[in-house]
Amino acid sequence: MYLPEKFERKMQDILGDEYQEYVDCYEAPRYYGLRVNTKKISVEDFVRICPFEIRPIPWIENGFYYDGAQISPAKHPYYAAGLYYLQEPSAMTPANRLPVEPGDRVLDVCAAPGGKATELGAKLQGQGVLVANDISSSRAKGLLKNIEMFGIGNVLVLSEEPGKLVEYFRGYFDKILIDAPCSGEGMFRKDKKMVKAWEEHGPEFFSKLQRSIITQAAEMLRPGGMLLYSTCTFDGLENEGTIGYLLEQYPEFTIEGIRPYEGFCAGMPGLWKKDIPDLKKTVRIFPHKMKGEGHYIALLRKNGEHEMMSGGSKKRPKKLAEELEAFLAQVDWEKAGIDFKREQLEFHGERVYYMPENLPDMAGIRFLRTGLLMGELKKNRFEPSQALAMCLNMDAYGDCISLPVDDDRVVRYLKGETLDVEDVTGMKKKGWHLFCVDGYPLGWGKLASGTLKNKYLPGWRWQS
C-alpha cells in the first residue's frame, strides 16, 4: 500500500524497531465490531440471542468482533431494534474509558455519526442529560437517528460551533468527550482514501482546530469534572501536543490514568516541546499491537471547587389534552426507566416533548432535537412518536404485539406494510400498539379488527 514518504519517516521515528511490524499489518484484514446497547439488553442476553458468530473484544466489556466479509448485521431486525451499534473496535475505547455515571451532564462535542454518543447515552440509563453536538447539520441528522434508535430520550442534539456553546454551558458539564477532527493516520489501513485526505490537510491544519475545540470544552467543564480527548491519528502535534497546549492554557487540569489493557502503549512526552512526564498516562493504540485501528486517548480532570448549578425555569402547561392524558396513563414510566414528571413536558406547536431537568436558557441555539419527542397532537388526537417507541419496553406499555425474529411479518413491518395480526392479537382492543421483535420495540402500529396499520417512521423504513 502507498504511504507518503513524510508519513513513513515520522512513523519510523515514533516506532523505531517496530516500524516494519507496523507496515506488515497493512496486509492483514481489517476488524469489524459491534457494541451492545446495555440500555436495552444485557451483554449476557445479547450473546444468548445473537443470530451470528461473535467474539469478545477483550478491552471493551460490551464489544464484539464479527466477520464483516460474511455477514451484514445492519440488515437484521435486532439492529433496527437498537440492540447494538456497528463500530470499529478501537473507536469504542474513548466512550468506554470516560467514567460516565447515571445522572451526569455529558457533552459529546463532535458527536456524528453517534458511535460515542450512543454509548455515553446508554451509560446514563435515562438519568441526567446527554448533549450531542456536531457542526454539520447533515451529519447531525444521522446522529439523531442513531440516538433515537438506541432509545436515548434525555438528550439534546445540536448543530453549533463549540465556541457558541460556551455562552450557554459554561461550567455546566460533569463529563465531556472530544473525538476531535484529525488527520486520520490511524485509519489509513482501514480506508485508503484517508491517505489522499492527509496529503491535502495534514496535522498542522487539524492541530489548530483541536486546540480551539479543547480549550472551548475546558470552559464548559465544571471543576471536578472529567474530559476525554481522542483522535484516530498518530501525530504528536495532534495528540500529546494538544494535551500539552491545554495544560499550558489551563493549569487547573491534570492528566488521569486510564484503565489499562495489555495492548495499550503509553503516550510519548518526547513528541511535545516541553517535558510533561504525565503524558505517559495517555494511551496510544497501534494496529500492529491490537486487533483494531490506530487511536490516541487522554483523560483529564479539571481541579477546583464545584458548585451545583441549576437550570433556567420555564412555564409549563398545567392542563393536558384528554387523549394525551389518556395515553400517558397507559405507560408505566418506572418500568420504562423514566422518572416522569409532568412539569417537564413542553409543547412546540403540535409537538410534545419531555425535557431533561435543569437546563440553561438555550434560546438561539440550533437544535435538531430538544429532549424526547413524545409525539404530536393533531386536532386533540395524540400520535406517539418513533422516538418514544424506542424508549419503551414491553413491560412499560401494555398494548404490545411481539413476533419472533423469524416471522416474515417483522421484515414486512420494517418495510412499512400493513399486517394481518389476528392470530396473535385475539381480543386485543383497537388503537395504538407497540410492535416488537422478540420483545424489543421497533415502532408503533394502529390495530383494528386484526389488522395493524403500519406507523413505522417512513424515513427509517427498509427498502425492498
Side-chain angles (χ1 to χ4, degrees), residues 24 61 78 150 157 159 161 167 173-174 190 199 227 238 253 257 259 321 324 332 374 417 455:
D24 291 344
E61 301 84 355
Y78 289 163
F150 248 53
V157 179
S159 182
E161 290 270 4
E167 304 170 25
F173 293 104
D174 301 297
K190 174 185 171 184
E199 292 177 315
L227 182 152
E238 298 182 73
F253 276 84
R259 182 160 49 87
L324 173 59
D332 187 324
M374 304 279 283
E417 296 181 20
K455 295 293 184 178

Side-chain angles (χ1 to χ4, degrees), residues 128-130 153-156 172 316 344 346 354-359 362 370-372:
V129 62
L130 170 67
N154 52 325
V155 66
L156 308 175
Y172 179 83
R316 314 286 181 178
Q344 289 173 230
E346 278 194 10
Y354 188 72
M355 299 296 291
E357 288 187 287
N358 296 321
L359 296 173
M362 295 174 293
T370 54
L372 170 61

Side-chain angles (χ1 to χ4, degrees), residues 61-198:
E61 301 84 355
N62 57 333
F64 294 87
Y65 296 105
Y66 69 92
D67 186 351
Q70 300 294 325
I71 59 173
S72 299
K75 297 180 180 178
H76 195 278
Y78 289 163
Y79 179 79
L83 300 191
Y84 55 86
Y85 187 94
L86 303 181
Q87 190 173 29
E88 192 280 314
S90 291
M92 298 181 190
T93 314
N96 178 271
R97 291 309 197 261
L98 181 61
V100 169
E101 301 290 338
D104 279 346
R105 299 169 175 179
V106 182
L107 170 65
D108 187 347
V109 181
C110 310
K116 279 79 174 176
T118 48
E119 174 66 3
L120 299 175
K123 284 183 170 186
L124 288 174
Q125 292 293 312
Q127 303 173 45
V129 62
L130 170 67
V131 177
N133 179 71
D134 200 275
I135 191 171
S136 166
S137 59
S138 60
R139 284 168 51 84
K141 290 175 183 176
L143 165 67
L144 173 61
K145 179 181 177 180
N146 286 325
I147 285 175
E148 291 188 335
M149 190 178 290
F150 248 53
I152 299 165
N154 52 325
V155 66
L156 308 175
V157 179
L158 319 180
S159 182
E160 279 291 0
E161 290 270 4
K164 184 171 182 179
L165 298 182
V166 177
E167 304 170 25
Y168 297 85
F169 294 105
R170 191 179 300 275
Y172 179 83
F173 293 104
D174 301 297
K175 309 286 167 56
I176 296 179
L177 188 143
I178 305 170
D179 186 38
C182 69
S183 60
E185 295 170 352
M187 296 294 139
F188 283 3
R189 193 177 75 111
K190 174 185 171 184
D191 186 354
K192 294 178 175 61
K193 294 192 294 292
M194 295 297 295
V195 176
K196 184 178 180 181
W198 182 89

